[in-house]
Amino acid sequence: MTATAPPTPLGPGAAVLAFDVGGTDTKSAMVDAAGRVLGLRRTPTARDAGDAAGAVAASFAELARTLRNAHPGVDVVAAGVSVPGLVDEVRGLGLFASNLGWRDAPIRDLAERTLGLPVAFGHDVRAAGDAEHRLGAARGYDDAVVLAIGTGIASSMLIGGQPYSAGGYAGEFGHSLADPQGERCPCGAIGCLETVASAGAIARRYRAASGREVSGARAVLDAAGAGDPVARDIWDSAIEALAEGIARLVATLAPEAVVIGGGLSQAGPALFDPLGERVDALLSFHRRPVLLRAELGDDAGLLGTALAARDLATARAAAAGTAAP
Amino acid sequence: MTATAPPTPLGPGAAVLAFDVGGTDTKSAMVDAAGRVLGLRRTPTARDAGDAAGAVAASFAELARTLRNAHPGVDVVAAGVSVPGLVDEVRGLGLFASNLGWRDAPIRDLAERTLGLPVAFGHDVRAAGDAEHRLGAARGYDDAVVLAIGTGIASSMLIGGQPYSAGGYAGEFGHSLADPQGERCPCGAIGCLETVASAGAIARRYRAASGREVSGARAVLDAAGAGDPVARDIWDSAIEALAEGIARLVATLAPEAVVIGGGLSQAGPALFDPLGERVDALLSFHRRPVLLRAELGDDAGLLGTALAARDLATARAAAAGTAAP
């Protein structure tokens, strides 16, 4: 559970705690001053229908105690908390998270009280994107989009070298219109990209079209490779919808790089090769972005959360007139 | 030609010259220290198939002479030049303009030599958008998109309070995919929004579908109002395509305001009412932008060009350690 930490790209900085809250699991870890990730583990996200935010914040206390007991020599000075859904990073609010059930919840304040630490609060996908921007595949690009394609589709944007969140509402690439004649998305809109092209949608659409059970998007890809025409259609239509969405991003935002992570990116060339070809075919004079596979894998969200905590520690130290710890 | 200047929202600042070069006409004017726009006129854009950029730059000399002769008391300290197409504002290059024929043309340097003044060089639609952001309908919004819908469709974006150009490639909203089964756009891509929903496309599509001549999008709207079903279909499909494009911008960029100018905006409520309804229907949890009509009209590009020239004058004066003129 708290085995020797693998090498990470974090490097030296403040020692912090990081909590990456997902709809199913929460990842927690300690990052020491050398940038080692200590005690990283995945536990079921705490739930309480009556007090969703309170339950999540309370769970941080137990997770923090475990980390501190295992690493008594590490003096953490800040924590990072990332959550899914709509997030107001400035006011520290979880505005809405369909899987978790809070609305306008003051999660940053709750976590600061629970942990007794200053807390950097943000959005899980933007945290992952920020890690890819600063440490992963998107580093070196000032204008880049990082897509996370798994159960759903989310994105984070770096614009002019700065993360762009628009008060928490930016980056809902998965809830942009892909098919005006499509199905209704759980979000309430029609034909959202994630109803067509997320890993979850690919598996679900295959089940509906074939009547056969399938373990996930990977199995649909395998079936397509084995000559199943239903699987081939669904895979190809997902690629086409993603390509159209990326081409539209290119026309308006003109990112230099589009980085793709999440479960679907594990398909590798079976995703990236046809996607790159289709994006290319849909563009003319536009600036063609490089299409890159995310580098930091599943832990990008946790690493980005730790980065945000370190940034907060640095800012606090600077404001207090001391050197950053 | 140089009659009493109408009131403008520019206010006091440096005295400058401004040249807004269009595919057909060039607008030129002098702005005095009080912000009066003097000698505004429209002349055919200079053309030379062998030296498109040189011809345009040379025309500035004659236009400047006329302005200076008419207003000998105004001591201009900088000039602004805006051009259409792809523009590299940092290096001062006109990268490409299909109507004018240049490629990678050093227009800023040519204009500085011709005019003997420091030149602020930029993109015509971004200049117009900048004027709407600073003086017009988009003022007060940090995240806003200004659309110019006329012969084509272009956009300029304000992100986090700053204009966003992505090296000149951002804002090609008119060349984002609207209809994957659509017609080929002159840009080379298929189904670009401006092949469906620009004022030019509405008139052209009506001619093609009805076999009847029509003077422009306004006449198509009038025909729709008079019960012409072909005109109604074309108008409605243009509104739908615009609404879908705006809804997609909202999902990813989440602007607080979408400002629409250009010829099509003159349709007023016949455009804005159904467009607002359709955008609204396509969104769910997204942040709904206010939809606003541009305020500065046809001269927004020239005003934005003058603003850029004034910014340059202020920066030069600051760098020289003197008060801004």
Side-chain angles (χ1 to χ4, degrees):
Chain A
M1 197 170 82
T2 57
T4 313
T8 76
L10 282 167
V16 297
L17 300 176
F19 303 91
D20 180 8
V21 179
T24 307
D25 291 336
T26 292
K27 286 185 198 166
S28 56
M30 178 181 272
V31 171
D32 71 7
R36 280 183 293 249
V37 177
L38 307 170
L40 171 59
R41 65 173 177 158
R42 203 187 259 269
T43 47
T45 295
R47 289 182 177 274
D48 180 335
D51 182 13
V56 164
S59 74
F60 296 156
E62 176 57 29
L63 295 166
R65 191 159 31 242
T66 304
L67 289 164
R68 283 171 154 147
N69 287 344
H71 305 281
V74 180
D75 184 23
V76 295
V77 295
V81 170
S82 298
V83 302
L86 285 176
V87 171
D88 184 332
E89 294 172 338
V90 175
R91 294 187 296 155
L93 303 178
L95 298 176
F96 174 66
S98 55
N99 283 325
L100 293 167
W102 58 57
R103 281 194 180 271
D104 301 327
I107 299 175
R108 183 177 59 204
D109 287 355
L110 292 169
E112 290 193 333
R113 248 174 282 154
T114 300
L115 293 167
L117 290 170
V119 167
F121 177 72
H123 184 255
D124 57 350
V125 174
R126 284 197 292 276
D130 196 41
E132 289 290 345
H133 290 309
R134 292 166 66 176
L135 309 170
R139 67 186 178 281
Y141 297 101
D142 265 2
D143 301 319
V145 174
V146 178
L147 305 178
I149 309 180
T151 313
I153 299 179
S155 70
S156 75
M157 291 180 279
L158 196 77
I159 290 182
Q162 297 296 319
Y164 177 70
S165 77
Y169 289 91
E172 294 291 352
F173 184 62
H175 296 285
S176 68
L177 178 65
D179 180 2
Q181 274 76 51
E183 59 183 277
R184 189 171 291 277
C185 178
C187 84
I190 297 284
C192 290
L193 182 61
E194 79 175 41
T195 67
V196 180
S198 66
I202 290 169
R204 187 174 39 71
R205 290 171 60 212
Y206 181 77
R207 286 183 203 111
S210 70
R212 287 193 287 279
E213 191 43 57
V214 74
S215 60
R218 177 81 228 183
V220 177
L221 175 61
D222 291 343
D228 176 340
V230 176
R232 171 53 55 198
D233 275 358
I234 285 170
W235 183 264
D236 289 350
S237 66
I239 298 278
E240 186 63 25
L242 286 172
E244 291 179 1
I246 290 170
R248 288 174 177 126
L249 273 182
V250 166
T252 51
L253 268 181
E256 298 163 280
V258 174
V259 175
I260 301 180
L264 201 69
S265 68
Q266 289 163 20
L271 171 69
F272 285 88
D273 290 353
L275 184 59
E277 275 169 37
R278 287 303 301 147
V279 170
D280 216 48
L282 290 169
L283 299 176
S284 62
F285 64 90
H286 313 78
R287 180 163 75 172
R288 283 155 209 261
V290 292
L291 213 61
L292 300 168
R293 186 168 170 178
E295 287 178 4
L296 300 177
D298 261 6
D299 295 334
L302 191 83
L303 295 176
T305 305
L307 284 171
R310 283 181 152 192
D311 290 347
L312 179 63
T314 303
R316 292 283 176 111
T322 64
Chain B
M1 195 168 87
T2 57
T4 313
T8 77
L10 282 167
V16 298
L17 300 176
F19 303 91
D20 180 9
V21 179
T24 307
D25 290 337
T26 292
K27 286 185 196 165
S28 56
M30 177 181 274
V31 171
D32 72 7
R36 280 182 294 248
V37 177
L38 307 170
L40 171 58
R41 65 171 177 160
R42 204 186 259 270
T43 47
T45 295
R47 290 182 175 274
D48 180 335
D51 182 14
V56 164
S59 74
F60 297 157
E62 176 57 28
L63 295 166
R65 190 161 29 242
T66 304
L67 289 163
R68 283 171 153 147
N69 288 343
H71 305 280
V74 180
D75 184 24
V76 296
V77 296
V81 170
S82 298
V83 302
L86 286 176
V87 171
D88 184 331
E89 293 171 339
V90 175
R91 293 188 295 155
L93 304 178
L95 298 175
F96 174 65
S98 55
N99 283 326
L100 292 167
W102 57 57
R103 282 193 179 271
D104 301 327
I107 299 175
R108 183 177 59 205
D109 286 354
L110 291 170
E112 289 192 335
R113 245 173 284 153
T114 300
L115 293 166
L117 290 170
V119 167
F121 176 72
H123 183 256
D124 58 350
V125 175
R126 284 197 292 277
D130 196 41
E132 290 290 345
H133 290 310
R134 291 166 66 175
L135 309 171
R139 68 186 177 280
Y141 296 101
D142 265 3
D143 300 319
V145 174
V146 178
L147 305 179
I149 310 180
T151 314
I153 299 179
S155 71
S156 75
M157 291 180 279
L158 195 76
I159 290 183
Q162 297 296 320
Y164 177 68
S165 76
Y169 289 92
E172 293 291 351
F173 184 62
H175 296 284
S176 67
L177 178 65
D179 180 2
Q181 274 76 52
E183 59 183 278
R184 189 171 291 277
C185 179
C187 85
I190 296 286
C192 289
L193 183 60
E194 78 174 41
T195 67
V196 180
S198 66
I202 291 170
R204 186 174 39 71
R205 290 170 60 213
Y206 181 78
R207 284 183 204 110
S210 71
R212 287 193 287 280
E213 192 41 56
V214 73
S215 60
R218 178 81 227 183
V220 177
L221 175 61
D222 292 343
D228 178 340
V230 176
R232 171 53 55 199
D233 275 359
I234 285 169
W235 183 263
D236 289 350
S237 65
I239 299 279
E240 186 64 26
L242 285 173
E244 292 179 0
I246 291 170
R248 288 174 178 128
L249 272 182
V250 166
T252 50
L253 267 181
E256 298 164 280
V258 175
V259 175
I260 302 180
L264 201 69
S265 68
Q266 290 163 19
L271 171 69
F272 285 88
D273 291 353
L275 184 59
E277 276 169 35
R278 287 303 302 146
V279 170
D280 216 49
L282 290 169
L283 300 176
S284 62
F285 65 89
H286 313 78
R287 179 162 77 173
R288 283 154 210 264
V290 292
L291 212 62
L292 300 168
R293 186 167 169 179
E295 288 179 4
L296 300 177
D298 261 7
D299 294 335
L302 191 81
L303 295 176
T305 305
L307 283 170
R310 282 180 153 194
D311 290 350
L312 178 63
T314 304
R316 292 283 175 109
T322 63

